[in-house]
Amino acid sequence: MSESLLGMPPARVLADLGEGCVILTVDASMYPQHAVYAAAYCFIARCYVWLDRAEPEAFRVVLTAKQPTDAEGLRALAGEFSNELLASAWRREITRLNRGLIESVTMQAFGGAMGPPSLDDLEAFDFSDEPFDDPLGIAQSWEDKYRKPKPGAETGAETGAAVAAETDPQGGAAT
Amino acid sequence: MSLEVLQSGAALDTGGYPAFFRFREIGERVVVTSIEGEWIVLTREEFRGFLRGEVDRDGALHQRLVERNLVRESFDARRAAEAYRRRKRFVHYGPNLHLMVVTLRCNETCVYCHASRANLDALHTDMTIETAERAVDLILRTTSPHVTIEFQGGEPLVNFPVVQHIVEYATQRNRGLGKQLEFTMVSNLSLMDETKLAWLLAHRVQLCTSIDGPKSLHDKQRKLPTLSSYDAAEPWIARINAAYREAGLDPTLYHVEALLTTTKETLERWREVVDTYVALGCRALFLRPVDPFGFAEKTRKIVEYPREDYLAYYRRAVDYIIELNHQGVEILERYAAIFLTKILTGDDPNFLDIRSPGGAGIGQLAYNYDGTIYSSDEGRMLGAMGDPTFAIGDVRTSRYRDIVSHPTVRAMAIASNLEGQPDCVDCPYVPYCGTQPEHNHKTLGTMMGRMRESSMCAVHKGIQDFLFEKLATADAATLEILHRWTTIRAREHFVQPVAEGG
Ligand code: SF4
């Protein structure tokens, strides 16, 4: 049976003590889907995690503790999830804004640590294969990935916005 | 307008005066820093003027702000870029610190150490010669021109023949490579004897030990069956220091350094801890809080403490260390020295846990006795506790470039880049600070961490608050002491000769 937890909004957080789980409803207009994934992923060592859509505009997150727990333990899980959700959403935005700085420093750090490939490395490299697996199409151009006309062909601002909206409900950096 | 208005995020008319800055109030003062780490400490009144652009262009404050490159109209972008580049110099090189766990066997039992030790009969936890050689082969592939191999355990003296082999093999292999190679051994010294010492001195292996404070505290935390662990270490510290002097080495530079682990019981005994280190001839004391790695949950209650208590202890101890310096005793606190070097010199001493991105996997690696490679010693300890998240290779099968570009290492570099962290991006200490993904993973369940809840962030923030307070209010003699702590003198004697017979 579901019940509310001390200090948690009952419309958003409910607990089922018998099942040892907490059920959170997340407003999809406030939090991007990626942030929900990122926050939920942090709990997989301690909980079984279930995600679905409670309503068209809300995600439902069910965290079931792997070890038996009480109301206080469930309250801690719900609170920690909420904090991680906010951190994930905000981190994503910060990363987008600081992308240039983060990328240049991180890439230099890897370049510096790896150094140029040795002859052994080159010998081990399989040139005959596809360059590398790219299931998410990260290395593809935006136009190829979404089958859009190349620049120069007729393209409009609303097309980009539509694609962004399609791939990211918040309209953030889509590719 | 008050600072509270600014903090509430209300629209602000700065008159276009300040260049990009971050700030934090400490008491009645405000620390202001730039993206590249220039800094100034202002009074609240001065800060308001800075914000509004109401600063007399002919006055001293304007001059100070211009000197720190904090004024938009005179902002020197090239200087800022150079300063940023200098601070991040470490990103051009790969791992320079390589920790080798030559055995887990140890004759001492410490209250805060479970994952890092095994009983003396656990011979299977000794590193073999073959594993050691494969590890050295990988180590010498690093792109760093400086390589330090640090022997850890367990107690490394338990597996001394492998230590000897590593020193000889690595020195030999390095002859054609010419890297600046050094060896350090962290030992409890209780198994030292004259023969081993003579060999270690002849082979220029730097010796470090662990001292947890006065004898009663040290013995309580580090148990040696039937003996005092303090009494087992202390004579050897004196003996080694005497040997350095006999070899004509400068004792201010060459002496045994010790590592402290601060537990709950240490907090009240800060004065005794400092006095013990001074009496042992140490020139540095690292007031490290206890790590969350490697001990069981029930031990946590015995050794852990709230971070406010730690910070109060830190302040008392460092104030006392400064007082001793005024009396002519030369001893520094290591955290303070690391942060002050970054703040006062614009350089980065490349302390691997306090840099951004952090050093895990790209600045340091740990080699377990069984050949498993971890991102760091903390990652190894988590591995020993059954969490293999930070295992990134094996000395028998992994290639160097695969290790340093391992997906886990990549994730850690991103996670420890503070420019992508909530809180850090608004924190004035970001140019000097760092986070540790292993610590975040262990304490907060995510490599990224959440700085508001991070005990490591609380420690770093508290220490930097304290240091900026000092920089703003200290007298000239104290400032000179703090500046002296940033002087890094190379210990050339410990660098291995690269020429045959050198
Ligand atoms: S870790 Fe903490 S103290 Fe360091 S920069 Fe981030 S918020 Fe500031």
Side-chain angles (χ1 to χ4, degrees), chain A residues 28-168:
Chain A
S29 68
M30 291 288 293
Y31 296 99
Q33 188 170 326
H34 289 89
V36 178
Y37 284 175
Y41 189 78
C42 294
F43 286 78
I44 61 174
R46 285 179 286 161
C47 300
Y48 300 110
V49 181
W50 182 255
L51 301 179
D52 69 359
R53 285 256 179 202
E55 314 149 20
E57 289 308 312
F59 304 108
R60 179 167 40 216
V61 182
V62 182
L63 305 175
T64 305
K66 290 182 183 175
Q67 302 294 330
T69 190
D70 56 8
E72 196 42 48
L74 292 178
R75 183 170 175 273
L77 280 179
E80 221 182 296
F81 179 84
S82 312
N83 287 356
E84 186 57 37
L85 183 60
L86 173 61
S88 299
W90 186 220
R91 189 183 298 120
R92 184 163 186 264
E93 179 61 8
I94 288 166
T95 309
R96 190 180 67 78
L97 294 170
N98 286 353
R99 188 174 177 150
L101 194 56
I102 294 168
E103 274 183 0
S104 59
V105 171
T106 313
M107 294 313 284
Q108 181 56 59
F110 283 117
M114 288 173 73
S118 66
L119 288 177
D120 286 350
D121 292 320
L122 289 173
E123 198 177 40
F125 193 80
D126 185 358
F127 290 97
S128 65
D129 205 353
E130 287 292 307
F132 53 86
D133 277 347
D134 187 18
L136 299 177
I138 288 164
Q140 281 176 274
S141 76
W142 181 85
E143 291 84 1
D144 289 343
K145 187 169 175 181
Y146 297 105
R147 299 201 172 79
K148 299 294 169 192
K150 296 273 184 192
E154 78 280 17
T155 173
E158 79 256 28
T159 316
V163 173
E166 197 181 293
T167 51
D168 177 353

Side-chain angles (χ1 to χ4, degrees), chain B residues 6 46 69 88 105 163 166 168 196 258 276 296 319 342 364 368 376 386 401 424 466 490:
Chain B
L6 179 67
E46 288 171 333
N69 212 12
K88 299 284 178 201
R105 293 194 290 148
V163 170
I166 291 169
E168 282 161 358
K196 288 190 186 103
T276 304
D319 273 335
K342 295 173 186 236
Q364 64 177 315
N368 203 15
S376 64
R401 281 165 58 91
C424 300
F466 173 72

Side-chain angles (χ1 to χ4, degrees), chain B residues 418 423-424 427 429-430 433-435 451 457 460-461 464:
Chain B
L418 300 183
D423 265 320
C424 300
C427 177
Y429 302 147
V430 72
C433 210
T435 188
M451 294 308 140
C457 166
H460 290 174
K461 200 174 265 172
Q464 290 175 90

